Amino acid sequence: MELLLNCLKRLFPLDTVKGVAASDLPYLAWPTPDGSEPEAYETPPVTPADVFAAAGYALLHSGAYHHVVPCVLGRSKRAARQIQVDSAFIERVRETAKAWRSFRPSRHYLDADPSVYARWIDGEGRGISYLHESWSAVWQAAGQDNVFALIEAKNPPPDWWAHALFLLMAADEAAKDIGFVRYNPPEGDDEDDARAEPWIFALTDGRFFADALKTLDSSTPSKRAPYLAYNVVGTISTASQDVVCVLPKARTTSVGCTLRSLSHHLALLPPRGIARAGWTPYLFADAPPDERHMNLLLVPFPFTIPASAFETQQGYAGEGAKRWGFFGLKQSWLQSVTKDKLLEFVKALVASAKSEADAIHGIVFPEMALDDSTWNHLRNELPEVLPELELLIAGVSSDGTRDGNFVRVGVFQRGAAATAHDGELERYAFFSAREKHHRWTLDRDEVLGYGLEGRLTPSISWAEDIDLLSRRVDFAVVRQSSVISAMICEDLARVDPCQELLRAIGPSIVFALLMDAPQLKARWPGRYATILAEDPGSAVLTLTSRGLMTRQRRIGKHPSKGPKDRVVALWRDDDKTDPIEISCADHCHAVRLTLSGVPVVDRTLDGREDHSAVAWRYAHHAAVCLKGATQTFADVLGPDDLALQPPNG
């Protein structure tokens, strides 16, 4: 049995303190109610993320979180083992959060007599006294209690359960907008200025985001567009990352009864050794509004994938009928295409797509579409000719240090204020690269279906020859309140800890890159996209290259009804009960997908509402066709695709 106080000590051990003035404190702590210096663990941490980590850990490991129920008038016959949340409980939570955010260190404590802090708590800061009381009730009064205890349904729960829930809810409310909003600093040092950044934001940014934002990439191709190196921000809590991590979140699930159902703004994540998450905030206060439409250019490249792209590796694993081997994937579609030619192709697609659109805000390539050199060329050049570009996402064969199967995400941010760069808008770019978590496995049916039997023996299974080293999912803020994340093929389908990260943080849009057959809604991507659309409410876009389906049609292995069934993408959001198939016919070369950001109201299990959430919904899609592409871009399309093109296509 583990004691509550021991749990707190595991989260915040005394011997790993950094940046705290008092060496005997395990975290940056509030003063005691009378304004004096606290003993270790006596008072709560000052940052909401740390309080959230402690309360969330206790609620999770005790099982208390699934006993939460909002009070309903007229309903009296309930089991006693419940934590009932009424309007008074929520009001006290919000009063505490308001005081937390309005605290002014220089006025209320740091530069004043300690008694000023005590008087503030008795007055406008009364909510902080509730924070102290609940902290004491959990970690002092009940500190020697077991975290988990068997309690009969007819018996009431321990008193500390409700106090731990109060701490979690108050920390969540106090953390509203953390990781999203970058406030414009007021002129001077007036803490009462409405534009002033809440002090807890400044503290969080200073500790966790500063290092990720300050490192300029020396390979910047243009002084007008500095690129920032991406450093993973895996937690915004000082709690031991070997126990829990905490990050901001976007959506709150409306179904089920989980710990993630109890928060709008913070997510409790597993230890970093199980799976890691990386967070990129928006650097500027004047981020584009979420309600503005988003035009995405989906490029189903490569258009031709020959059988020779699949290379067997020597040796087999397993025994008898269960033998299997490794195959490598050679990007033959890039061997005859120069980087400049592919860039020219993409620019032509953008120009064509913009004939009926005001801007292209994002460009997405499928799994393994590019190599490292081509990615770098596109990421450097496209923002220069597309100032409105916000996203560039692609599957690549290298992260710049080793080969494999990776997804790269570029997020381009711009501020409205003129800077010293010749009056240009200030702009930055963040780049992340993370590897695939599961190997693509081809069984007999797939080997035959793709016409690969001449390369891969159908009698055994074949696994993708890639190293599986790290489990990480990256999240990036786009617009004012939206968050994106990118997955690779099987990562969308497999139940593993990374699914827990996705559901806990609830990204607004999940991009799943594939090298697959048509994205028909009856196939597996549609099923797994539906799961995330329901819990936590994320929109999901799957995108595959056209190469394998073109190959299937050419060799007669796919029952094609015509060129319009080249379903390269599938969209599923929280508003659609049926996925939307997105086609790119043989004579076309990309798809413009238009989305709209819609304000929604998320509700927690305890009954609190969040009006800052955003859902992304399908608006329209249209194929993008280039005239004369068979002549101008024959090397991009490849022989299989050219064979299916109409004359003078």
Side-chain angles (χ1 to χ4, degrees):
M1 294 291 185
E2 188 170 21
L3 304 181
L4 268 172
L5 185 57
N6 288 343
C7 288
L8 187 61
K9 291 179 178 180
R10 286 186 65 219
L11 287 164
F12 301 99
L14 280 168
D15 58 350
T16 59
V17 182
K18 291 183 179 179
V20 179
S23 60
D24 58 346
L25 292 180
Y27 47 75
L28 190 61
W30 285 98
T32 61
D34 64 5
S36 61
E37 291 291 333
E39 299 291 333
Y41 307 111
E42 180 183 1
T43 62
V46 298
T47 63
D50 283 351
V51 174
F52 187 87
Y57 186 89
L59 290 168
L60 180 65
H61 288 267
S62 66
Y65 71 90
H66 56 76
H67 293 78
V68 176
V69 58
C71 288
V72 179
L73 294 176
R75 179 73 185 274
S76 58
K77 293 183 178 179
R78 288 195 180 277
R81 197 181 68 203
Q82 302 281 349
I83 312 174
Q84 297 197 31
V85 178
D86 57 17
S87 58
F89 191 105
I90 294 176
E91 183 60 33
R92 196 164 75 252
V93 162
R94 288 177 171 157
E95 184 179 356
T96 299
K98 181 179 179 181
W100 208 335
R101 291 169 68 98
S102 63
F103 178 68
R104 296 292 182 263
S106 62
R107 186 189 328 135
H108 298 144
Y109 183 72
L110 295 179
D111 297 331
D113 185 277
S115 62
V116 175
Y117 174 76
R119 291 196 298 272
W120 176 73
I121 284 185
D122 290 337
E124 61 178 313
R126 182 179 56 175
I128 299 301
S129 66
Y130 300 147
L131 193 71
H132 281 286
E133 290 169 9
S134 287
W135 184 266
S136 179
V138 178
W139 308 110
Q140 304 301 322
Q144 299 304 311
D145 291 358
N146 292 325
V147 177
F148 175 80
L150 290 172
I151 305 169
E152 293 186 9
K154 65 180 180 180
N155 294 331
D159 290 341
W160 72 263
W161 279 17
H163 287 285
L165 178 64
F166 175 86
L167 292 171
L168 181 112
M169 292 168 60
D172 183 54
E173 289 286 317
K176 178 177 170 59
D177 295 331
I178 276 185
F180 288 89
V181 175
R182 303 286 296 182
Y183 287 85
N184 286 316
E187 296 180 5
D189 298 319
D190 185 3
E191 290 182 327
D192 291 326
D193 193 308
R195 298 170 296 164
E197 184 176 79
W199 70 283
I200 51 178
F201 282 33
L203 180 62
T204 301
D205 288 353
R207 284 193 169 197
F208 302 103
F209 294 134
D211 288 342
L213 302 180
K214 71 182 182 182
T215 308
L216 289 178
D217 187 343
S218 59
S219 64
T220 300
S222 169
K223 294 182 179 180
R224 293 188 296 106
Y227 291 160
L228 289 171
Y230 180 84
N231 295 330
V232 173
V233 179
T235 185
I236 57 171
S237 168
T238 60
S240 170
Q241 296 184 57
D242 295 324
V243 184
V244 297
C245 296
V246 178
L247 280 178
K249 66 185 294 186
R251 295 298 307 273
T252 301
T253 179
S254 60
V255 297
C257 178
T258 62
L259 187 69
R260 63 180 182 273
S261 306
L262 290 171
S263 66
H264 286 304
H265 311 295
L266 293 174
L268 190 74
L269 306 178
R272 59 185 173 182
I274 293 177
R276 292 180 296 150
W279 184 272
T280 299
Y282 207 97
L283 189 60
F284 302 106
D286 50 355
D290 297 281
E291 293 80 1
R292 180 187 177 189
H293 62 280
M294 181 183 291
N295 292 320
L296 300 177
L297 183 70
L298 312 182
V299 186
F301 178 79
F303 298 90
T304 294
I305 300 178
S308 59
F310 294 81
E311 299 180 323
T312 61
Q313 309 300 318
Q314 292 184 347
Y316 299 99
E319 297 179 350
K322 298 295 184 181
R323 286 195 310 158
W324 55 279
F326 281 112
F327 73 88
L329 196 61
K330 182 174 64 175
Q331 293 173 298
S332 55
W333 48 90
L334 293 175
Q335 293 177 354
S336 59
V337 181
T338 66
K339 297 188 293 291
D340 285 333
K341 191 67 171 183
L342 189 57
L343 175 63
E344 181 186 349
F345 177 70
V346 175
K347 289 164 65 174
L349 291 174
V350 170
S352 179
K354 289 178 68 173
S355 65
E356 295 187 2
D358 61 345
I360 294 299
H361 304 107
I363 301 175
V364 188
F365 287 88
E367 178 182 10
M368 289 290 286
L370 310 178
D371 58 17
D372 185 61
S373 176
T374 307
W375 158 264
N376 286 331
H377 189 59
L378 295 181
R379 75 152 205 186
N380 291 342
E381 297 298 327
L382 286 174
E384 292 297 305
V385 296
L386 294 174
E388 72 274 15
L389 189 67
E390 299 177 38
L391 300 172
L392 179 62
I393 302 173
V396 297
S397 56
S398 172
D399 68 348
T401 61
R402 61 187 176 90
D403 293 337
N405 192 331
F406 300 84
V407 56
R408 288 202 176 212
V409 178
V411 179
F412 304 92
Q413 300 180 2
R414 288 165 176 80
T419 68
H421 301 303
D422 301 323
E424 293 287 340
L425 299 184
E426 186 176 7
R427 53 182 177 167
Y428 293 92
F430 299 86
F431 299 103
S432 67
R434 72 99 171 154
E435 64 189 295
K436 191 176 183 180
H437 300 151
H438 302 274
R439 294 184 178 94
W440 180 16
T441 301
L442 294 168
D443 59 19
R444 175 183 174 83
D445 289 343
E446 289 176 292
V447 169
L448 296 177
Y450 291 135
L452 303 176
E453 63 277 358
R455 306 282 299 182
L456 307 178
T457 302
S459 58
I460 67 173
S461 294
W462 293 92
E464 185 180 10
D465 187 18
I466 57 173
D467 296 325
L468 306 179
L469 300 185
S470 298
R471 287 283 163 96
R472 194 182 89 226
V473 181
D474 293 330
F475 301 87
V477 178
V478 297
R479 305 292 173 91
Q480 293 178 352
S481 303
S482 299
V483 176
I484 64 162
S485 186
M487 311 296 286
I488 314 173
C489 199
E490 283 84 359
D491 297 353
L492 178 67
R494 302 283 78 85
V495 177
D496 69 11
C498 289
Q499 291 280 345
E500 184 179 349
L501 302 181
L502 284 173
R503 293 191 180 189
I505 291 176
S508 313
I509 307 176
V510 176
F511 294 88
L513 311 184
L514 301 92
M515 180 176 287
D516 195 18
Q519 297 301 284
L520 305 175
K521 57 187 177 183
R523 295 187 63 240
W524 68 269
R527 295 197 301 273
Y528 292 103
T530 295
I531 292 173
L532 289 178
E534 293 178 349
D535 178 8
S538 302
V540 180
L541 174 70
T542 70
L543 173 66
T544 184
S545 51
R546 209 165 65 185
L548 286 180
M549 65 183 80
T550 299
R551 176 172 177 76
Q552 285 182 316
R553 183 180 174 198
R554 186 182 65 78
I555 64 178
K557 294 292 184 73
H558 177 58
S560 175
K561 296 179 181 179
K564 290 186 178 180
D565 76 341
R566 303 280 77 83
V567 182
V568 299
L570 197 72
W571 173 266
R572 175 68 161 89
D573 59 43
D574 65 341
D575 190 47
K576 299 290 184 182
T577 57
D578 215 20
I580 298 171
E581 296 177 352
I582 299 173
S583 298
C584 182
D586 283 345
H587 66 285
C588 296
H589 311 95
V591 177
R592 173 180 57 82
L593 172 63
T594 299
L595 309 174
S596 61
V598 180
V600 292
V601 178
D602 282 347
R603 293 178 178 83
T604 51
L605 186 62
D606 53 66
R608 288 175 297 129
E609 292 186 348
D610 174 33
H611 294 261
S612 65
V614 175
W616 284 90
R617 307 274 171 79
Y618 170 87
H620 181 66
H621 76 270
V624 180
C625 311
L626 299 180
K627 292 183 178 181
T630 54
Q631 289 80 35
T632 308
F633 299 110
D635 48 354
V636 176
L637 299 178
D640 281 4
D641 195 81
L642 288 173
L644 298 178
Q645 294 285 353
N648 301 319

